[in-house]
Amino acid sequence: MQASRARLFKEYKEVQREKSVDPDIQLLCDDSNIFKWTALIKGPSETPYEGGVFQLAFAIPEQYPLLPPQVRFLTKIFHPNVHFKTGEICLDILKNAWSPAWTLQSVCRAIIALMAHPEPDSPLNCDSGNLLRSGDLRGYQSMAKMYTRLAAMPKKG
Amino acid sequence: MADFETSDDDYYGDDSLDGLDQEEDDLLWTPQRTPSSASKVITRASLLAAQREDLKRVTEMLTLKEHHARTLLIHHRWDVERLLAVLVEKGRDRLFTEAGIPILDAAHQASARSTSSIMCNICMEDISPNDVTTMDCGHCFCNDCWTEHFIIKIKEGESRRVRCMAHKCNAICDEAIIRNLVSVKDPEVAERFERFLLESYIEDNGKVKWCPSVPHCGNAIRIDGDSYCEVECTCGLQFCFRCSSEAHSPCSCLMWELWIKKCKDESETVNWLTVHTKPCPKCHKPVEKNGGCNLVTCLCGQYFCWLCGGATGRDHTWTGIAGHSCGRYKSDHNKVAERAKRDLNRYMHYHNRYKAHMDSMKRENKLRETVQATIATSESKDDGFRDYSWVTNGLNRLFRSRRVLSYSYPFAFYMFGDDLFKDDMTEEERQLKQNLFEDQQQQLEVTVERLSKFIEEKFDKLPEDKVKEIRMHIINLTVLVDTCCKNMYECIENDLLGLLQSTTHSIAPYTSKGIERASELSVCPDSDQILNSSKANDDDAHDPSWVSSAPGTDSEPRSEGQVSCASLDDNGCSSRKRAREETLGSLLFDLNLPAEVA
Ligand SMILES: [Zn+2]
Ligand SMILES: [Zn+2]
Ligand SMILES: [Zn+2]
Ligand SMILES: [Zn+2]
Ligand SMILES: [Zn+2]
Ligand SMILES: [Zn+2]
Ligand SMILES: [Zn+2]
């Protein structure tokens, strides 16, 4: 599919140009395969993910951008809308609310927004969803913080 | 029908035969179907016109573009009345936004058109303003991106609701734009789109259903009133409009579904086996119990205990097997077995009667030819002076009531069984109602058999006075059978189903004249497009001008009606039609095949 390749190439150039514009997102394209990308995103401040750096993996279908990319967390994260084992993300814009007007960059932004504003009603991680739904915000936050420290921060010493 | 009721009294034991005028009314049943029947058959040729009628009503009433009218109608399942109710209740803006029609003014966007190149937000290319399209919602993207988007959505089966590509834009795209763009890139997908739109009128419409004939006759039936009804397609198939299976009144759809399943999966035979046989613990073949004692022997030589199925030695007394004790389960075993046996017997009782009447119906179907031959010889004898409509009327009545009688058995099986209404009646109530119903059923049964017997008489071989007598009996019984059917239905509706507390259970009502055949949809030829589509129906109207206006052959905006109706024409009837099919090539859809969703 020539169209998706061209579009991804455009996005690639755009990312190179805008690198400094959004310091929270770093998108990297696989050297040998333009349909495989990874991203490093910073945990939003004033959330349990603050200070962590999370790695995302993108698998892009040939019909992109008419069909959405598949995105998952490679870094362990305790979040009600992320599957704890597989890193799958439950986010409407990656499914039926996808619009071809989205880019990989804007998908990253949407995921950062999801980290800051979890939706406990469509949980992929039931434990954390239950903690949040039952109003145990502190329980949720301490678990999320713990995993951020364990998995998303550079090991000290 | 009303005539029958009022003159019932004149009938019994009255030799005057003044029922003849009703019989003449009855004559109209089979050959001539009244053009005003409540159900209409929609053929490949009239589908477009039927759809257009509704589209036209909505476009005219609300003064809007056709594709917006279609979007509204699809959203409201082609129910014009409901659509108008929403308009009154919620107002035009709500009606539009809920269905995905932008309220934005088209003139508003036109001014925004620029002459320099435009960046398409999907492919991120700079595109010449000639190669971009702005949808009604105001969102503008390049034609290539739109086209790919449309193709993906059509292949996903979303033809009826293709949304704009912009984020969070709910607008449904203009079908004319979709049609134009897609047909250039992929005519096959464009064809599928056309077909999906057209079939929406059938598939998204509560009042229209495909005729379930196999192989499919290509027709759909539109009903006017209550959906609890039975209809006959012009292909001859009679079916229940609600569940699309064969006509099954007075059974409800649920009863019929259960019954068919029960008859099919030989669960009863399995039951019989579990009641009467047990698997040998050694070779696992079913072994039947032969004598009174509980020690059974398999052909393989293994002895085992009938009660628990366990292997044993052969030493035994009447009450026990040496070294084996299982007595305490005995009563349970017997209870379960007895229960299964009772259920089986009950089912057999109803099934046998159901089956017997079905078989009679098949036999009587053959009778039709014999009777017609008998009439023919009689007519030739008396130079066609005499009227033999009383025989055909009797025969028609016989078919109809035999059918009712046959289906009344599965009805009773469920009405008075434990499957559906166990908690709706006390045991005494149930018994009372069952007696009431069975009285009606038996009366019908007896009358039907008598009618059948008289109709089988070879009256052409009989003397004049004997024929006169048979004629009188048949006329009387014809009316009586109809009355019995009516009474039975009344009993079902008022005393049985009508009194259920926990559920509502509806059946197609009794129609004295039999299942009505749907009449052809008459198309009012008051617009050019409708005229064209009715031409498609007509063999002589082979105006090549509209056939040649296939997609891509002219730049003038075509009316979609023309293309579709060319594509929809009946294929495979006359040689002339077939010839045209060839010239049209792949443009023809076959409505017999399902539109596939990739
Ligand atoms: Zn584009
Ligand atoms: Zn839009
Ligand atoms: Zn049919
Ligand atoms: Zn039914
Ligand atoms: Zn054996
Ligand atoms: Zn014995
Ligand atoms: Zn035993």
Side-chain angles (χ1 to χ4, degrees), chain B residues 242-273:
Chain B
R242 266 199 103 87
C243 70
S244 294
S245 59
E246 60 179 290
H248 53 66
S249 178
C251 273
S252 70
C253 296
L254 178 60
M255 288 171 176
W256 184 244
E257 193 196 325
L258 293 172
W259 181 254
I260 286 297
K261 210 168 149 271
K262 198 170 184 66
C263 297
K264 244 187 212 153
D265 60 273
E266 297 159 304
S267 63
E268 302 304 334
T269 1
V270 174
N271 256 342
W272 189 88
L273 282 176

Side-chain angles (χ1 to χ4, degrees), chain A:
Chain A
M1 273 258 163
Q2 217 45 47
S4 56
R5 221 171 258 282
R7 154 88 182 237
L8 285 168
F9 191 65
K10 286 263 162 53
E11 286 196 44
Y12 178 74
K13 284 205 291 194
E14 198 77 2
V15 163
Q16 303 298 34
R17 199 151 47 86
E18 280 186 17
K19 224 167 209 168
S20 51
V21 177
D22 197 337
D24 295 339
I25 301 167
Q26 199 188 337
L27 263 167
L28 304 159
C29 177
D30 190 297
D31 289 336
S32 57
N33 184 354
I34 199 162
F35 293 100
K36 294 247 175 291
W37 292 58
T38 52
L40 294 171
I41 56 174
K42 284 187 186 157
S45 56
E46 286 165 43
T47 70
Y49 311 106
E50 186 171 2
V53 175
F54 296 85
Q55 198 178 10
L56 301 171
F58 287 79
I60 294 155
E62 289 203 335
Q63 290 100 323
Y64 180 81
L66 298 163
L67 295 179
Q70 287 175 352
V71 195
R72 62 189 188 91
F73 274 90
L74 290 178
T75 312
K76 267 257 175 291
I77 179 170
F78 187 80
H79 186 283
N81 306 107
V82 181
H83 195 283
F84 190 65
K85 284 217 176 87
T86 63
E88 269 175 273
I89 304 167
C90 179
L91 184 57
D92 60 346
I93 61 136
L94 293 176
K95 295 184 178 113
N96 46 357
W98 170 256
S99 145
W102 288 85
T103 63
L104 300 183
Q105 185 88 16
S106 60
V107 167
C108 288
R109 258 180 245 127
I111 291 173
I112 292 175
L114 182 72
M115 287 165 84
H117 304 282
E119 287 177 34
D121 289 330
S122 61
L124 273 177
N125 180 337
C126 297
D127 290 339
S128 95
N130 287 342
L131 282 176
L132 256 189
R133 254 199 314 250
S134 65
D136 189 354
L137 195 64
R138 279 183 56 189
Y140 154 74
Q141 278 180 337
S142 68
M143 285 293 282
K145 236 182 230 162
M146 186 184 85
Y147 276 105
T148 307
R149 220 175 315 117
L150 277 175
M153 288 190 192
K155 306 266 186 301
K156 282 170 201 153

Side-chain angles (χ1 to χ4, degrees), chain B residues 361-492:
Chain B
M361 191 150 76
K362 276 179 211 140
R363 258 199 329 273
E364 283 157 2
N365 235 325
K366 285 187 198 127
L367 193 65
R368 190 182 282 278
E369 283 163 36
T370 343
V371 167
Q372 249 135 25
T374 316
I375 293 175
T377 45
S378 298
E379 270 174 346
S380 66
K381 260 200 285 184
D382 53 39
D383 306 320
F385 278 137
R386 219 155 306 165
D387 176 25
Y388 287 98
S389 60
W390 50 274
V391 196
T392 40
N393 289 337
L395 199 60
N396 287 332
R397 177 60 60 211
L398 183 63
F399 287 136
R400 245 162 262 149
S401 47
R402 185 67 85 181
R403 199 189 181 95
V404 168
L405 193 53
S406 180
Y407 292 121
S408 75
Y409 281 99
F411 168 84
F413 179 79
Y414 288 108
M415 187 72 230
F416 309 113
D418 288 342
D419 302 73
L420 292 180
F421 310 123
K422 191 172 197 260
D423 302 327
D424 272 276
M425 298 173 265
T426 63
E427 199 46 53
E428 298 88 74
E429 264 182 303
R430 173 150 61 172
Q431 201 52 56
L432 220 75
K433 287 183 177 182
Q434 186 167 351
N435 290 341
L436 186 73
F437 177 77
E438 281 173 358
D439 285 347
Q440 309 274 2
Q441 197 182 29
Q442 266 157 33
Q443 213 187 334
L444 175 62
E445 197 154 31
V446 170
T447 325
V448 165
E449 297 305 348
R450 283 182 63 205
L451 179 61
S452 176
K453 194 186 118 241
F454 281 114
I455 286 180
E456 277 172 36
E457 295 262 8
K458 300 248 177 295
F459 56 85
D460 57 337
K461 307 246 164 38
L462 295 173
E464 182 89 357
D465 56 333
K466 195 87 179 121
V467 176
K468 232 177 184 167
E469 199 190 310
I470 291 175
R471 170 171 178 268
M472 202 199 64
H473 279 300
I474 287 183
I475 290 175
N476 282 347
L477 286 168
T478 301
V479 176
L480 188 58
V481 161
D482 184 35
T483 312
C484 287
C485 284
K486 261 184 224 152
N487 291 345
M488 194 172 82
Y489 268 76
E490 239 162 62
C491 168
I492 291 173

Side-chain angles (χ1 to χ4, degrees), chain B residues 104-227:
Chain B
L104 243 149
D105 192 357
H108 188 87
Q109 318 147 10
S111 58
R113 276 215 145 185
S114 71
T115 44
S116 59
S117 71
I118 295 162
M119 152 102 150
C120 167
N121 259 329
I122 306 298
C123 60
M124 298 182 171
E125 302 274 0
D126 290 323
I127 310 283
S128 134
N130 297 324
D131 295 327
V132 300
T133 299
T134 307
M135 214 50 74
D136 292 339
C137 53
H139 292 119
C140 174
F141 300 104
C142 84
N143 288 344
D144 286 346
C145 287
W146 276 125
T147 310
E148 289 305 322
H149 172 66
F150 296 152
I151 290 176
I152 283 190
K153 289 298 163 194
I154 294 166
K155 285 187 172 168
E156 280 176 0
E158 303 252 312
S159 295
R160 292 154 199 162
R161 308 191 61 77
V162 178
R163 293 191 188 280
C164 167
M165 284 194 284
H167 177 50
K168 288 210 164 137
C169 179
N170 222 20
I172 306 290
C173 295
D174 185 334
E175 62 185 54
I177 295 176
I178 299 178
R179 188 172 290 127
N180 287 337
L181 287 178
V182 174
S183 61
V184 174
K185 175 90 194 264
D186 192 336
E188 215 174 289
V189 175
E191 194 182 295
R192 206 191 295 180
F193 173 70
E194 218 61 70
R195 192 182 156 142
F196 271 127
L197 279 195
L198 207 56
E199 293 187 354
S200 154
Y201 185 75
I202 296 168
E203 281 167 10
D204 302 330
N205 192 332
K207 297 236 174 264
V208 182
K209 279 230 171 95
W210 288 112
C211 167
S213 53
V214 180
H216 189 215
C217 63
N219 295 342
I221 305 288
R222 186 175 78 191
I223 54 150
D224 206 18
D226 190 5
S227 65

